[in-house]
Amino acid sequence: MRTSTSPDLPTPVDFWFDPVCPWTWLTSRWMLEVAETRPVQVSWHVMSLSVLNENRLDELPERIRVLMGEAWSPVRVLTAAALKHGPEVLEPLYTALGTRYHLQEQPKDRATLEAALREVGLPVDLADAGDTDQYDEELRASHHRGITLVGQDVGSPIIAVPGQDAGGDPVAFFGPVVNPAPKGEDAARLWDGVLAVASTPSFYEIKRTRSSAPDFS
């Protein structure tokens, strides 16, 4: 995670995601739009809603408990892919997975993982990582780095940008939640607003109730 910038360099952005979350998918598509219109450099990191919720599963609705069970394999495979092939594979693999999960409504099973790996030119046997806890230490460490910046009462995604104080500590937040993902200059204006609130030390939260299902159009 990078914590400094200058007027002559792109703004470094750290983006933590869980690939099964539809709202995170929308935010990530917005972030890619921002990268086309503003000087930013995005680093992608894995977080896990399964890790976040593992100690409170009994409090969750049945459909969410099922999703948390399905959510382990994708983040394990993403973690293994980044460790073996470098962090630069995270965004294309996430895009391949998210397209299948959220746009094509494919199941969160091994066949879908293998298809996504194949699409981005990664070894299909990386899907083996989804069935083991071999990479959980690294997965939990990545998750912890993101969640520590914002606290436990949030979810995916988490975005961090360089702070505006003398120490340059990163400013991180959950969201923004967008539906549908803004494009072009609309995406850029929202990003400008995000940087504005991130530069205000006393700012913490803006929120309103979501009134519609995720719109992937």
Side-chain angles (χ1 to χ4, degrees):
M1 183 173 59
R2 301 141 306 161
T3 58
S4 63
T5 187
S6 77
D8 300 323
L9 295 174
T11 299
V13 184
D14 290 280
F15 191 109
W16 279 266
F17 66 94
D18 186 313
V20 305
C21 175
W23 303 104
T24 299
W25 173 254
L26 289 166
T27 305
S28 71
R29 300 311 94 180
W30 162 74
M31 192 72 252
L32 291 176
E33 283 285 321
V34 172
E36 296 293 326
T37 54
R38 290 292 187 268
V40 299
Q41 184 176 359
V42 186
S43 293
W44 301 84
H45 311 277
V46 181
M47 67 176 295
S48 171
L49 294 174
S50 298
V51 171
L52 184 67
N53 291 296
E54 63 184 343
N55 294 321
R56 63 184 198 98
L57 288 176
D58 291 345
E59 305 169 16
L60 302 176
E62 174 64 19
R63 64 179 182 84
I64 301 299
R65 290 199 298 271
V66 170
L67 179 61
M68 292 303 94
E70 296 174 332
W72 279 107
S73 289
V75 290
R76 285 168 167 167
V77 171
L78 282 156
T79 300
L83 287 170
K84 291 177 178 290
H85 299 276
E88 64 273 10
V89 305
L90 284 175
E91 188 276 319
L93 182 53
Y94 173 33
T95 292
L97 280 171
T99 298
R100 286 166 170 79
Y101 291 158
H102 306 302
L103 304 187
Q104 301 172 0
E105 299 184 349
Q106 294 185 18
K108 298 172 181 66
D109 59 12
R110 183 181 176 108
T112 301
L113 286 167
E114 289 183 352
L117 289 164
R118 196 175 294 112
E119 177 184 324
V120 299
L122 290 171
V124 173
D125 62 7
L126 280 170
D128 293 343
D131 300 321
T132 175
D133 61 2
Q134 179 180 354
Y135 301 98
D136 281 12
E137 182 177 352
E138 292 84 0
L139 167 61
R140 289 176 182 273
S142 178
H143 174 87
H144 180 74
R145 284 192 293 272
I147 208 72
T148 297
L149 295 172
V150 292
Q152 294 289 328
D153 58 341
V154 299
S156 174
I158 294 169
I159 293 179
V161 297
Q164 304 297 315
D165 58 15
D169 291 333
V171 175
F173 46 86
F174 161 66
V177 177
V178 290
N179 191 38
K183 294 178 172 59
E185 191 58 28
D186 288 340
R189 280 195 296 270
L190 176 57
W191 175 248
D192 294 341
V194 165
L195 291 182
V197 298
S199 68
T200 305
S202 58
F203 173 81
Y204 282 92
E205 184 175 12
I206 293 176
K207 189 172 182 178
R208 62 176 176 169
T209 300
R210 286 171 286 195
S211 59
S212 60
D215 180 354
F216 303 123
S217 59

